[in-house]
Amino acid sequence: MSIELQKLATDIALQAGELIYRRRREGVTVAATKSSAEDVVTLADRESEDLIRSLIADARPGDGFYGEESEATRSDSGITWVVDPIDGTVNYLYDIPNYAVSIAVIEGDPDPLTWTALAATVTNPAAGETFSAARGTGATLNGTAIFANTDVVPSLAMVGTGFAYSAERRVWQAGIVQQLIGQVRDIRRMGSAELDLCSVACGRLDAYYERGLNPWDHAAGALIAEEAGAQVGGLNGARASRDFTLATAGGLFDPLHQLLIEAGAEASVLG
Ligand code: IPD
């Protein structure tokens, strides 16, 4: 079943990807702001989510829906679709070609602490790249198998991270980066959590971490990274969630986790 769900997720993500790419070329309109003035939603975010939602409802009417821009629908089938219609919205606004449509299909409640991710697709239409995975079958980029790096020591690790929309949290996050940056190869902030996780999956990053992600920011990328051989989790044995998401090349998880703890990553800034 996971493979069928993966095919459907990919088909729908590609249609939404085409839509947002077309809208980007026509010009982007900010429809509203959310948690802060920096946290925008564009008309294309809403259109993309509407399209994805209606395609899922046509194909699988009993499934639940949990997306960034609209009300959740409870699942009758036990399956829920976790959707970010544009991850990397600020990149999209500035026409930085690193944004994606992200779709994960999960079993259980739409809570990353308990769900089982079955299938996932993340597509970046500006780059023509589609990452995908079904549980237990590996991960692919444009249909070719991908693998996370192995045997990376922290001092040579290229580490991605992200910053929150709240200025207070960004300042705290910058403090962690300040501690970490001298202990790793370098740090990247590319602006789409889902694509960061996919970058770990295909070896463009050795690791990625962030605090404060919403479920739709990491649901698909976490499965793709895991299926590519990366290690994904939270802090101190927890699962990846809003509290913390860390994805690393094989073998790097424990030493990087230790450095993050020493840098103060456990402190509470989420409110
Ligand atoms: C954001 C991006 C960004 C991450 C933020 C997310 P959005 O998602 O994934 O890279 O640092 O925490 O909120 O708003 O573009 O869907």
Side-chain angles (χ1 to χ4, degrees):
M1 179 166 85
S2 295
I3 299 266
E4 277 139 47
L5 291 169
Q6 179 191 18
K7 282 192 188 130
L8 184 59
T10 302
D11 180 45
I12 293 173
L14 287 173
Q15 292 186 56
E18 253 181 62
L19 171 72
I20 64 167
Y21 190 54
R22 192 166 67 242
R23 290 291 182 256
R24 180 51 261 183
R25 292 201 307 270
E26 290 164 1
V28 169
T29 313
V30 173
T33 57
K34 298 190 285 185
S35 60
S36 68
E38 302 93 312
D39 185 4
V40 298
V41 54
T42 69
L43 288 179
D45 283 271
R46 289 183 177 165
E47 254 191 293
S48 172
E49 184 149 321
D50 288 349
L51 174 68
I52 295 166
R53 198 173 183 133
S54 73
L55 291 169
I56 294 167
D58 286 349
R60 295 185 53 94
D63 290 357
F65 184 88
Y66 190 58
E68 179 166 17
E69 311 298 349
S70 58
E71 288 289 299
T73 311
R74 277 185 65 84
S75 175
D76 294 328
S77 63
I79 301 279
T80 296
W81 295 66
V82 182
V83 171
D84 194 338
I86 303 179
D87 186 53
T89 305
V90 178
N91 284 347
Y92 186 71
L93 188 64
Y94 282 80
D95 205 10
I96 297 169
N98 194 64
Y99 53 85
V101 175
S102 167
I103 301 182
V105 193
I106 61 98
E107 194 168 32
D109 290 334
D111 176 353
L113 292 175
T114 56
W115 74 35
T116 302
L118 301 177
T121 295
V122 175
T123 186
N124 174 352
E129 291 192 331
T130 300
F131 298 86
S132 192
R135 174 161 293 278
T137 69
T140 56
L141 165 54
N142 290 348
T144 300
I146 51 172
F147 301 94
N149 294 334
T150 52
D151 302 324
V152 182
V153 292
S155 60
L156 292 180
M158 179 65 94
V159 179
T161 191
F163 297 113
Y165 288 115
S166 139
E168 187 197 350
R169 275 190 222 153
R170 276 204 302 278
V171 170
W172 176 83
Q173 287 166 320
I176 305 286
V177 168
Q178 198 182 355
Q179 300 285 316
L180 199 63
I181 197 161
Q183 304 184 73
V184 296
R185 182 191 292 269
D186 207 346
I187 300 274
R188 293 287 181 271
R189 194 294 193 242
M190 300 193 286
S192 158
E194 292 287 11
L195 289 173
D196 289 337
L197 287 160
C198 292
S199 294
V200 174
C202 70
R204 291 177 190 165
L205 288 175
D206 296 308
Y208 160 77
Y209 75 89
E210 187 165 345
R211 184 150 197 177
L213 290 179
N214 289 302
W216 47 78
D217 295 322
H218 66 89
L223 179 66
I224 292 166
E226 267 172 0
E227 286 295 326
Q231 236 179 309
V232 182
L235 294 181
N236 302 315
R239 293 184 64 173
S241 74
R242 182 173 147 79
D243 263 0
F244 211 87
T245 298
L246 172 62
T248 75
L252 183 62
F253 192 96
D254 289 345
L256 193 59
H257 178 277
Q258 182 58 31
L259 291 180
L260 284 162
I261 297 284
E262 286 163 15
E266 282 172 304
S268 180
V269 288
L270 293 179

